[in-house]
Amino acid sequence: IKLYSNLLNSLSFFNIIRPWSLNYLSCIVKNEDNSEKSQFKPYDLYGTYDYFEGANSLFDLSKSITGNDKSKICKKLLSTYSYTNVGRAAYSQEEKFMNIWVALESLCKTDMCPDIISNILDNVTPALCSRYIFSLVRNFSEDCIRCNVDYCFTTKQFEIKNTIKRTLVEDTISIFNDPSLYNELEIKCNVNELLLERCKELHTLVSNIDNMIKRVELHYTTVRQQLARLYRIRNQIAHTAMDSNRSLILYTEHLYDYLSTF
């Protein structure tokens, strides 16, 4: 995958391909133990761009806000959409990164902070923590679906494929906090070793308020450090023409995820 990323970067750097042609490039990953081969396209490797949780409600809300073209938040959103689209269409990694950074920067800029990075650190970081526990529990339930684990227990049943994510998360937490239901859930999760470990970890987390607070605080520190790291990369590109041989794909994925969540 690293070699493949470097290939995309070098091809883009020499202006040989355009974004549409990325759909037709693919790489082969071979398992040396049994000679099994798998083919991946770029979207399979870096596919967060086209996923939004609750996309329909976000679209409707955004549409209602942008309907008032005189509001300040409307101008911020339109500017953010514009730079994000330019970044996604760019074929240079540096262009992608810088345009998405500008989109995030323009969205969270306020008069309360003295500089760019303070605006981002003080606004984006707490926003990304507000639903952190929610996202952990929701992701666990989705992992259960992938492993064919249901929420049908001896004394109670829940709809694991509930489209209302808030209800699904509340149901999952109630299962973790009920000793008999949790014991059954742990047995169900034993179909996959990693799922079982995640089940145990979440049980320890959501059954103790202090553990949740510590986890959110840790996530706050991690996100803040990562945003500061991304800002340093932004400065390297803007002021010192950072070496194009360095892959920015993972950093761009993180940056886009922060932007979409914010």
Side-chain angles (χ1 to χ4, degrees):
I1 292 176
K2 182 178 180 182
L3 291 174
Y4 180 62
S5 302
N6 291 338
L7 170 64
L8 290 183
N9 188 38
S10 61
L11 290 174
S12 300
F13 179 76
F14 286 107
N15 203 12
I16 294 175
I17 60 175
R18 290 293 184 268
W20 56 265
S21 60
L22 291 179
N23 294 326
Y24 300 95
L25 287 175
S26 62
C27 70
I28 302 293
V29 179
K30 181 179 179 182
N31 186 330
E32 296 294 344
D33 294 333
N34 55 20
S35 298
E36 181 182 350
K37 298 179 180 180
S38 299
Q39 183 172 338
F40 296 91
K41 290 185 177 181
Y43 179 82
D44 298 322
L45 297 175
Y46 314 105
T48 62
Y49 281 176
D50 295 320
Y51 176 78
F52 277 104
E53 177 67 34
N56 290 335
S57 59
L58 287 175
F59 176 80
D60 291 338
L61 180 59
S62 174
K63 187 177 180 181
S64 66
I65 293 174
T66 53
N68 180 8
D69 56 7
K70 295 181 180 180
S71 67
K72 190 174 182 180
I73 186 61
C74 174
K75 293 178 181 179
K76 280 180 173 287
L77 284 175
L78 292 177
S79 177
T80 299
Y81 298 156
S82 177
Y83 277 101
T84 302
N85 286 330
V86 170
R88 292 180 60 180
Y91 54 84
S92 164
Q93 289 191 46
E94 289 81 6
E95 285 184 275
K96 283 182 179 292
F97 184 92
M98 289 298 290
N99 279 287
I100 294 175
W101 177 272
V102 172
L104 179 63
E105 182 181 314
S106 63
L107 183 60
C108 63
K109 184 178 180 181
T110 67
D111 297 328
M112 296 184 293
C113 302
D115 49 44
I116 295 172
I117 188 59
S118 296
N119 272 307
I120 291 177
L121 293 179
D122 293 347
N123 291 307
V124 178
T125 309
L128 293 179
C129 291
S130 63
R131 289 167 64 87
Y132 179 57
I133 300 297
F134 177 93
S135 65
L136 290 179
V137 178
R138 186 202 66 207
N139 289 341
F140 169 77
S141 63
E142 292 171 353
D143 286 338
C144 287
I145 295 174
R146 296 184 190 102
C147 295
N148 296 317
V149 172
D150 57 41
Y151 280 179
C152 297
F153 304 97
T154 304
T155 58
K156 205 167 186 179
Q157 294 185 3
F158 302 91
E159 179 52 62
I160 195 172
K161 295 183 179 181
N162 196 327
T163 56
I164 303 175
K165 299 301 181 181
R166 182 183 180 88
T167 302
L168 176 60
V169 169
E170 290 175 349
D171 291 342
T172 305
I173 292 177
S174 68
I175 293 171
F176 279 121
N177 286 314
D178 186 310
S180 61
L181 295 180
Y182 172 70
N183 289 336
E184 289 190 51
L185 178 62
E186 193 172 295
I187 295 173
K188 290 175 178 288
C189 291
N190 198 34
V191 296
N192 183 287
E193 184 176 350
L194 294 178
L195 182 64
L196 178 60
E197 288 302 314
R198 187 151 198 189
C199 178
K200 293 177 180 179
E201 179 186 355
L202 272 183
H203 177 251
T204 303
L205 178 66
V206 302
S207 59
N208 187 302
I209 186 65
D210 292 330
N211 290 339
M212 284 193 282
I213 292 174
K214 291 178 182 178
R215 187 66 174 268
V216 172
E217 289 174 343
L218 177 61
H219 184 64
Y220 181 93
T221 301
T222 301
V223 171
R224 193 177 180 89
Q225 290 174 343
Q226 180 68 345
L227 284 169
R229 182 181 294 112
L230 296 175
Y231 181 63
R232 289 196 296 271
I233 293 174
R234 174 262 186 200
N235 288 341
Q236 287 179 318
I237 297 173
H239 303 304
T240 62
M242 189 179 69
D243 184 6
S244 295
N245 289 326
R246 179 182 181 183
S247 176
L248 298 176
I249 292 177
L250 184 60
Y251 299 113
T252 304
E253 286 280 305
H254 285 175
L255 182 58
Y256 185 81
D257 182 61
Y258 292 161
L259 170 63
S260 60
T261 304
F262 183 69

Short mmCIF file of all heavy atoms in Angstrom, two decimals, residues 120-167:
data_model
loop_
_atom_site.label_atom_id
_atom_site.label_comp_id
_atom_site.label_asym_id
_atom_site.label_seq_id
_atom_site.Cartn_x
_atom_site.Cartn_y
_atom_site.Cartn_z
N ILE A 120 -8.59 26.93 15.42
CA ILE A 120 -8.83 25.53 15.11
C ILE A 120 -8.75 24.66 16.35
O ILE A 120 -9.63 23.83 16.61
CB ILE A 120 -7.82 25.05 14.03
CG1 ILE A 120 -8.15 25.74 12.70
CG2 ILE A 120 -7.86 23.54 13.88
CD1 ILE A 120 -7.21 25.42 11.58
N LEU A 121 -7.72 24.85 17.16
CA LEU A 121 -7.55 24.02 18.35
C LEU A 121 -8.68 24.24 19.35
O LEU A 121 -9.18 23.28 19.95
CB LEU A 121 -6.20 24.31 19.01
CG LEU A 121 -4.95 23.91 18.22
CD1 LEU A 121 -3.69 24.30 19.01
CD2 LEU A 121 -4.93 22.42 17.93
N ASP A 122 -9.08 25.49 19.55
CA ASP A 122 -10.07 25.81 20.58
C ASP A 122 -11.50 25.52 20.15
O ASP A 122 -12.39 25.41 21.00
CB ASP A 122 -9.96 27.29 20.98
CG ASP A 122 -8.64 27.59 21.68
OD1 ASP A 122 -7.95 26.63 22.08
OD2 ASP A 122 -8.29 28.78 21.82
N ASN A 123 -11.75 25.41 18.85
CA ASN A 123 -13.12 25.16 18.37
C ASN A 123 -13.32 23.73 17.88
O ASN A 123 -14.32 23.10 18.19
CB ASN A 123 -13.46 26.14 17.24
CG ASN A 123 -13.61 27.57 17.72
OD1 ASN A 123 -14.36 27.85 18.65
ND2 ASN A 123 -12.89 28.48 17.11
N VAL A 124 -12.38 23.23 17.09
CA VAL A 124 -12.55 21.92 16.49
C VAL A 124 -12.39 20.80 17.52
O VAL A 124 -13.17 19.85 17.54
CB VAL A 124 -11.56 21.71 15.33
CG1 VAL A 124 -11.69 20.32 14.73
CG2 VAL A 124 -11.78 22.78 14.25
N THR A 125 -11.38 20.92 18.37
CA THR A 125 -11.08 19.84 19.33
C THR A 125 -12.26 19.49 20.22
O THR A 125 -12.64 18.31 20.30
CB THR A 125 -9.85 20.20 20.18
OG1 THR A 125 -8.78 20.59 19.32
CG2 THR A 125 -9.42 19.00 21.01
N PRO A 126 -12.87 20.45 20.93
CA PRO A 126 -14.02 20.07 21.78
C PRO A 126 -15.20 19.57 20.97
O PRO A 126 -15.95 18.69 21.44
CB PRO A 126 -14.35 21.37 22.52
CG PRO A 126 -13.74 22.45 21.72
CD PRO A 126 -12.53 21.87 21.09
N ALA A 127 -15.39 20.09 19.75
CA ALA A 127 -16.49 19.61 18.92
C ALA A 127 -16.32 18.14 18.56
O ALA A 127 -17.28 17.38 18.55
CB ALA A 127 -16.59 20.46 17.65
N LEU A 128 -15.09 17.74 18.29
CA LEU A 128 -14.83 16.35 17.94
C LEU A 128 -14.97 15.41 19.13
O LEU A 128 -15.09 14.20 18.96
CB LEU A 128 -13.42 16.21 17.36
CG LEU A 128 -13.19 16.90 16.01
CD1 LEU A 128 -11.75 16.71 15.55
CD2 LEU A 128 -14.13 16.35 14.95
N CYS A 129 -14.95 15.96 20.33
CA CYS A 129 -15.08 15.13 21.54
C CYS A 129 -16.53 15.00 22.00
O CYS A 129 -16.84 14.11 22.81
CB CYS A 129 -14.25 15.73 22.68
SG CYS A 129 -12.47 15.62 22.43
N SER A 130 -17.42 15.85 21.50
CA SER A 130 -18.78 15.90 22.04
C SER A 130 -19.56 14.61 21.80
O SER A 130 -20.43 14.26 22.58
CB SER A 130 -19.52 17.10 21.44
OG SER A 130 -19.66 16.93 20.03
N ARG A 131 -19.25 13.90 20.72
CA ARG A 131 -19.97 12.66 20.42
C ARG A 131 -19.02 11.47 20.34
O ARG A 131 -19.29 10.48 19.66
CB ARG A 131 -20.72 12.81 19.08
CG ARG A 131 -21.91 13.75 19.17
CD ARG A 131 -22.42 14.12 17.78
NE ARG A 131 -22.94 12.97 17.05
CZ ARG A 131 -24.19 12.53 17.14
NH1 ARG A 131 -25.04 13.13 17.95
NH2 ARG A 131 -24.60 11.50 16.43
N TYR A 132 -17.90 11.56 21.03
CA TYR A 132 -16.88 10.53 20.92
C TYR A 132 -17.35 9.19 21.47
O TYR A 132 -17.24 8.15 20.81
CB TYR A 132 -15.60 10.98 21.64
CG TYR A 132 -14.49 9.96 21.61
CD1 TYR A 132 -14.00 9.47 20.40
CD2 TYR A 132 -13.93 9.46 22.79
CE1 TYR A 132 -12.99 8.53 20.35
CE2 TYR A 132 -12.91 8.54 22.76
CZ TYR A 132 -12.44 8.08 21.54
OH TYR A 132 -11.45 7.15 21.50
N ILE A 133 -17.91 9.20 22.69
CA ILE A 133 -18.41 7.96 23.29
C ILE A 133 -19.54 7.39 22.44
O ILE A 133 -19.62 6.18 22.20
CB ILE A 133 -18.89 8.19 24.73
CG1 ILE A 133 -17.74 8.72 25.60
CG2 ILE A 133 -19.44 6.90 25.32
CD1 ILE A 133 -16.58 7.76 25.74
N PHE A 134 -20.40 8.27 21.96
CA PHE A 134 -21.49 7.86 21.07
C PHE A 134 -20.95 7.11 19.85
O PHE A 134 -21.45 6.05 19.47
CB PHE A 134 -22.27 9.10 20.63
CG PHE A 134 -23.39 8.82 19.66
CD1 PHE A 134 -24.68 8.60 20.12
CD2 PHE A 134 -23.15 8.79 18.30
CE1 PHE A 134 -25.72 8.36 19.22
CE2 PHE A 134 -24.18 8.53 17.40
CZ PHE A 134 -25.46 8.32 17.86
N SER A 135 -19.90 7.65 19.23
CA SER A 135 -19.36 7.04 18.02
C SER A 135 -18.71 5.69 18.32
O SER A 135 -18.78 4.76 17.49
CB SER A 135 -18.34 7.98 17.36
OG SER A 135 -17.20 8.16 18.19
N LEU A 136 -18.08 5.55 19.49
CA LEU A 136 -17.47 4.26 19.86
C LEU A 136 -18.54 3.17 19.98
O LEU A 136 -18.36 2.06 19.48
CB LEU A 136 -16.71 4.41 21.18
CG LEU A 136 -15.43 5.23 21.17
CD1 LEU A 136 -14.83 5.29 22.59
CD2 LEU A 136 -14.40 4.66 20.19
N VAL A 137 -19.63 3.50 20.66
CA VAL A 137 -20.70 2.51 20.85
C VAL A 137 -21.39 2.20 19.53
O VAL A 137 -21.69 1.05 19.23
CB VAL A 137 -21.72 3.02 21.89
CG1 VAL A 137 -22.84 2.02 22.06
CG2 VAL A 137 -21.03 3.29 23.23
N ARG A 138 -21.61 3.23 18.72
CA ARG A 138 -22.25 3.02 17.41
C ARG A 138 -21.38 2.14 16.52
O ARG A 138 -21.87 1.22 15.85
CB ARG A 138 -22.47 4.37 16.72
CG ARG A 138 -23.25 4.29 15.42
CD ARG A 138 -22.97 5.48 14.56
NE ARG A 138 -21.59 5.48 14.11
CZ ARG A 138 -20.90 6.57 13.79
NH1 ARG A 138 -21.46 7.76 13.89
NH2 ARG A 138 -19.65 6.49 13.39
N ASN A 139 -20.08 2.39 16.51
CA ASN A 139 -19.17 1.58 15.69
C ASN A 139 -19.14 0.13 16.16
O ASN A 139 -19.02 -0.79 15.35
CB ASN A 139 -17.77 2.17 15.72
CG ASN A 139 -17.66 3.48 14.96
OD1 ASN A 139 -18.51 3.79 14.14
ND2 ASN A 139 -16.63 4.24 15.26
N PHE A 140 -19.26 -0.07 17.47
CA PHE A 140 -19.29 -1.44 17.99
C PHE A 140 -20.52 -2.18 17.48
O PHE A 140 -20.43 -3.34 17.06
CB PHE A 140 -19.28 -1.44 19.52
CG PHE A 140 -19.58 -2.77 20.12
CD1 PHE A 140 -18.61 -3.77 20.16
CD2 PHE A 140 -20.84 -3.06 20.62
CE1 PHE A 140 -18.88 -5.02 20.70
CE2 PHE A 140 -21.13 -4.31 21.16
CZ PHE A 140 -20.14 -5.29 21.20
N SER A 141 -21.66 -1.51 17.50
CA SER A 141 -22.90 -2.16 17.01
C SER A 141 -22.78 -2.48 15.53
O SER A 141 -23.28 -3.52 15.07
CB SER A 141 -24.11 -1.25 17.28
OG SER A 141 -24.00 -0.03 16.58
N GLU A 142 -22.12 -1.63 14.77
CA GLU A 142 -21.92 -1.90 13.34
C GLU A 142 -20.96 -3.07 13.14
O GLU A 142 -21.11 -3.86 12.20
CB GLU A 142 -21.42 -0.64 12.64
CG GLU A 142 -22.49 0.46 12.59
CD GLU A 142 -21.94 1.78 12.09
OE1 GLU A 142 -20.70 1.88 11.91
OE2 GLU A 142 -22.73 2.71 11.88
N ASP A 143 -19.97 -3.18 14.02
CA ASP A 143 -19.07 -4.34 13.97
C ASP A 143 -19.84 -5.63 14.25
O ASP A 143 -19.56 -6.68 13.66
CB ASP A 143 -17.93 -4.18 14.98
CG ASP A 143 -16.91 -3.15 14.54
OD1 ASP A 143 -16.83 -2.87 13.33
OD2 ASP A 143 -16.17 -2.63 15.41
N CYS A 144 -20.77 -5.55 15.17
CA CYS A 144 -21.60 -6.73 15.47
C CYS A 144 -22.39 -7.16 14.24
O CYS A 144 -22.50 -8.36 13.96
CB CYS A 144 -22.55 -6.42 16.63
SG CYS A 144 -21.76 -6.31 18.25
N ILE A 145 -22.93 -6.19 13.51
CA ILE A 145 -23.68 -6.51 12.30
C ILE A 145 -22.77 -7.19 11.28
O ILE A 145 -23.15 -8.18 10.65
CB ILE A 145 -24.31 -5.24 11.70
CG1 ILE A 145 -25.36 -4.66 12.65
CG2 ILE A 145 -24.94 -5.53 10.33
CD1 ILE A 145 -25.92 -3.33 12.21
N ARG A 146 -21.54 -6.69 11.14
CA ARG A 146 -20.60 -7.28 10.19
C ARG A 146 -20.25 -8.72 10.56
O ARG A 146 -19.96 -9.54 9.70
CB ARG A 146 -19.32 -6.44 10.14
CG ARG A 146 -19.52 -5.02 9.62
CD ARG A 146 -18.21 -4.28 9.51
NE ARG A 146 -18.45 -2.86 9.25
CZ ARG A 146 -18.36 -1.91 10.17
NH1 ARG A 146 -18.01 -2.22 11.40
NH2 ARG A 146 -18.60 -0.65 9.86
N CYS A 147 -20.27 -9.01 11.86
CA CYS A 147 -19.94 -10.36 12.33
C CYS A 147 -21.17 -11.22 12.56
O CYS A 147 -21.10 -12.29 13.19
CB CYS A 147 -19.12 -10.27 13.62
SG CYS A 147 -17.51 -9.50 13.44
N ASN A 148 -22.33 -10.73 12.08
CA ASN A 148 -23.59 -11.47 12.20
C ASN A 148 -23.99 -11.73 13.65
O ASN A 148 -24.55 -12.78 13.98
CB ASN A 148 -23.51 -12.79 11.43
CG ASN A 148 -23.33 -12.59 9.95
OD1 ASN A 148 -23.96 -11.74 9.34
ND2 ASN A 148 -22.43 -13.37 9.35
N VAL A 149 -23.70 -10.78 14.51
CA VAL A 149 -24.12 -10.86 15.92
C VAL A 149 -25.39 -10.05 16.08
O VAL A 149 -25.46 -8.89 15.65
CB VAL A 149 -23.02 -10.31 16.85
CG1 VAL A 149 -23.54 -10.22 18.29
CG2 VAL A 149 -21.78 -11.18 16.79
N ASP A 150 -26.42 -10.66 16.67
CA ASP A 150 -27.68 -9.94 16.87
C ASP A 150 -27.86 -9.54 18.33
O ASP A 150 -27.07 -9.90 19.19
CB ASP A 150 -28.87 -10.77 16.40
CG ASP A 150 -28.95 -12.12 17.10
OD1 ASP A 150 -28.71 -12.17 18.33
OD2 ASP A 150 -29.25 -13.12 16.43
N TYR A 151 -28.91 -8.78 18.59
CA TYR A 151 -29.24 -8.33 19.94
C TYR A 151 -30.48 -9.07 20.46
O TYR A 151 -31.31 -8.49 21.17
CB TYR A 151 -29.50 -6.83 19.95
CG TYR A 151 -28.24 -5.97 19.97
CD1 TYR A 151 -28.32 -4.58 19.96
CD2 TYR A 151 -26.97 -6.54 20.00
CE1 TYR A 151 -27.19 -3.79 19.98
CE2 TYR A 151 -25.83 -5.77 20.02
CZ TYR A 151 -25.95 -4.38 20.00
OH TYR A 151 -24.81 -3.60 20.02
N CYS A 152 -30.60 -10.33 20.13
CA CYS A 152 -31.72 -11.14 20.61
C CYS A 152 -31.26 -11.95 21.81
O CYS A 152 -30.43 -12.87 21.67
CB CYS A 152 -32.22 -12.06 19.51
SG CYS A 152 -32.89 -11.18 18.08
N PHE A 153 -31.79 -11.63 22.99
CA PHE A 153 -31.36 -12.28 24.22
C PHE A 153 -32.51 -13.09 24.83
O PHE A 153 -33.65 -13.01 24.37
CB PHE A 153 -30.85 -11.24 25.22
CG PHE A 153 -29.74 -10.38 24.68
CD1 PHE A 153 -30.01 -9.13 24.15
CD2 PHE A 153 -28.43 -10.85 24.68
CE1 PHE A 153 -28.99 -8.34 23.65
CE2 PHE A 153 -27.41 -10.07 24.18
CZ PHE A 153 -27.68 -8.81 23.66
N THR A 154 -32.20 -13.80 25.87
CA THR A 154 -33.20 -14.69 26.48
C THR A 154 -34.40 -13.92 27.01
O THR A 154 -35.55 -14.34 26.84
CB THR A 154 -32.55 -15.49 27.63
OG1 THR A 154 -31.41 -16.19 27.13
CG2 THR A 154 -33.54 -16.47 28.21
N THR A 155 -34.13 -12.79 27.65
CA THR A 155 -35.21 -12.04 28.29
C THR A 155 -35.63 -10.78 27.53
O THR A 155 -36.65 -10.18 27.85
CB THR A 155 -34.77 -11.61 29.71
OG1 THR A 155 -33.57 -10.81 29.61
CG2 THR A 155 -34.49 -12.84 30.57
N LYS A 156 -34.86 -10.40 26.53
CA LYS A 156 -35.15 -9.14 25.85
C LYS A 156 -34.55 -9.14 24.45
O LYS A 156 -33.55 -9.82 24.20
CB LYS A 156 -34.58 -7.97 26.66
CG LYS A 156 -35.29 -6.65 26.43
CD LYS A 156 -34.87 -5.64 27.49
CE LYS A 156 -35.68 -4.35 27.35
NZ LYS A 156 -35.32 -3.35 28.38
N GLN A 157 -35.17 -8.36 23.55
CA GLN A 157 -34.67 -8.26 22.18
C GLN A 157 -34.59 -6.80 21.76
O GLN A 157 -35.43 -5.99 22.14
CB GLN A 157 -35.59 -9.02 21.21
CG GLN A 157 -35.60 -10.52 21.41
CD GLN A 157 -36.41 -11.23 20.35
OE1 GLN A 157 -36.92 -10.61 19.42
NE2 GLN A 157 -36.53 -12.54 20.48
N PHE A 158 -33.54 -6.50 21.00
CA PHE A 158 -33.35 -5.16 20.47
C PHE A 158 -33.13 -5.25 18.97
O PHE A 158 -32.62 -6.25 18.47
CB PHE A 158 -32.14 -4.47 21.12
CG PHE A 158 -32.22 -4.35 22.62
CD1 PHE A 158 -31.70 -5.35 23.43
CD2 PHE A 158 -32.81 -3.24 23.20
CE1 PHE A 158 -31.77 -5.24 24.81
CE2 PHE A 158 -32.88 -3.13 24.58
CZ PHE A 158 -32.36 -4.13 25.39
N GLU A 159 -33.47 -4.19 18.26
CA GLU A 159 -33.27 -4.15 16.81
C GLU A 159 -31.87 -3.58 16.52
O GLU A 159 -31.65 -2.37 16.64
CB GLU A 159 -34.33 -3.27 16.15
CG GLU A 159 -34.18 -3.15 14.63
CD GLU A 159 -34.06 -4.49 13.95
OE1 GLU A 159 -35.02 -5.28 14.03
OE2 GLU A 159 -32.99 -4.72 13.34
N ILE A 160 -30.94 -4.45 16.17
CA ILE A 160 -29.57 -4.02 15.97
C ILE A 160 -29.40 -3.21 14.68
O ILE A 160 -28.45 -2.43 14.54
CB ILE A 160 -28.61 -5.24 15.96
CG1 ILE A 160 -27.15 -4.77 16.12
CG2 ILE A 160 -28.78 -6.06 14.70
CD1 ILE A 160 -26.17 -5.89 16.32
N LYS A 161 -30.31 -3.36 13.74
CA LYS A 161 -30.24 -2.61 12.49
C LYS A 161 -31.15 -1.39 12.51
O LYS A 161 -31.60 -0.91 11.46
CB LYS A 161 -30.58 -3.52 11.30
CG LYS A 161 -29.56 -4.64 11.10
CD LYS A 161 -29.89 -5.47 9.87
CE LYS A 161 -28.85 -6.56 9.67
NZ LYS A 161 -29.13 -7.38 8.47
N ASN A 162 -31.40 -0.87 13.70
CA ASN A 162 -32.24 0.31 13.86
C ASN A 162 -31.62 1.49 13.13
O ASN A 162 -30.45 1.81 13.31
CB ASN A 162 -32.38 0.63 15.35
CG ASN A 162 -33.52 1.59 15.62
OD1 ASN A 162 -33.82 2.46 14.81
ND2 ASN A 162 -34.15 1.43 16.77
N THR A 163 -32.38 2.14 12.27
CA THR A 163 -31.86 3.27 11.50
C THR A 163 -31.71 4.52 12.37
O THR A 163 -31.00 5.46 11.98
CB THR A 163 -32.77 3.59 10.31
OG1 THR A 163 -34.11 3.82 10.79
CG2 THR A 163 -32.78 2.42 9.33
N ILE A 164 -32.38 4.55 13.52
CA ILE A 164 -32.24 5.67 14.45
C ILE A 164 -31.03 5.37 15.34
O ILE A 164 -31.12 4.59 16.29
CB ILE A 164 -33.51 5.88 15.29
CG1 ILE A 164 -34.72 6.07 14.38
CG2 ILE A 164 -33.34 7.06 16.23
CD1 ILE A 164 -36.03 6.17 15.13
N LYS A 165 -29.90 5.99 15.03
CA LYS A 165 -28.65 5.64 15.69
C LYS A 165 -28.65 5.96 17.18
O LYS A 165 -28.04 5.25 17.98
CB LYS A 165 -27.48 6.37 15.02
CG LYS A 165 -27.31 6.02 13.54
CD LYS A 165 -27.06 4.54 13.36
CE LYS A 165 -26.85 4.19 11.89
NZ LYS A 165 -26.63 2.75 11.68
N ARG A 166 -29.36 7.00 17.57
CA ARG A 166 -29.41 7.35 18.99
C ARG A 166 -30.06 6.23 19.79
O ARG A 166 -29.56 5.84 20.86
CB ARG A 166 -30.18 8.66 19.18
CG ARG A 166 -30.25 9.12 20.63
CD ARG A 166 -31.08 10.38 20.79
NE ARG A 166 -31.14 10.80 22.17
CZ ARG A 166 -30.25 11.59 22.76
NH1 ARG A 166 -29.22 12.03 22.07
NH2 ARG A 166 -30.37 11.92 24.02
N THR A 167 -31.16 5.69 19.26
CA THR A 167 -31.84 4.58 19.93
C THR A 167 -30.95 3.35 19.98
O THR A 167 -30.89 2.65 21.00
CB THR A 167 -33.16 4.24 19.21
OG1 THR A 167 -34.00 5.40 19.18
CG2 THR A 167 -33.88 3.11 19.93
#
